[in-house]
Amino acid sequence: MKMPDTIDSKLFAPCGVNCISCERYQNPCVGCLIGDDGKSKASLKCKIKACFDTKNFSYCGRCSEFACPLLKKHSKKYVKRYDLNTLDSAKRIKTTGIGKMMAQDRQKWTCPDCGGVIHFQTKTCSECGFEF
């Protein structure tokens, strides 16, 4: 998949992951805030998403309980598995704003060789397979 010119802000998951950089995005997942089609059983049972759905916030980083134990545990797991600090990503929403964040993430996750999407799980380009 080629990186689009802009990334929809609904692709910023409550946990701090930018869905467009996930290898499951559109294969078959559509993103946490967009729908449940194609989600794994684990994703459908996500406690962070369930909590998020009960609150009246656009992003977890704006919640009065931020950073809660759920987000801390999730981030620790993602740092260990993928070297991706989702808690830092979720914190950026307060200081940077969603529009600027999505532009920064677009730059971060775009392959400089072909314009494909770099998947955070494998650190490889979706188009040319280049490893970062």
Side-chain angles (χ1 to χ4, degrees), residues 37-48:
D37 292 344
K39 287 198 176 20
S40 66
K41 288 180 184 178
S43 293
L44 291 171
K45 293 179 182 180
C46 177
K47 291 178 183 179
I48 295 171

Side-chain angles (χ1 to χ4, degrees), residues 3 5-21 33 58-62 66 84-110:
M3 181 64 77
D5 291 336
T6 59
I7 304 173
D8 186 338
S9 62
K10 288 187 178 185
L11 290 177
F12 187 73
C15 65
V17 168
N18 190 323
C19 295
I20 205 155
S21 67
L33 298 181
S58 300
Y59 305 100
C60 289
R62 294 190 173 148
F66 183 81
L84 180 68
N85 191 324
T86 58
L87 192 56
D88 281 352
S89 184
K91 284 178 186 176
R92 286 189 310 151
I93 197 73
K94 283 184 170 181
T95 58
T96 307
I98 189 66
K100 190 172 181 180
M101 271 183 53
M102 297 311 270
Q104 290 171 347
D105 281 4
R106 182 184 180 281
Q107 185 176 8
K108 177 180 180 178
W109 300 112
T110 300

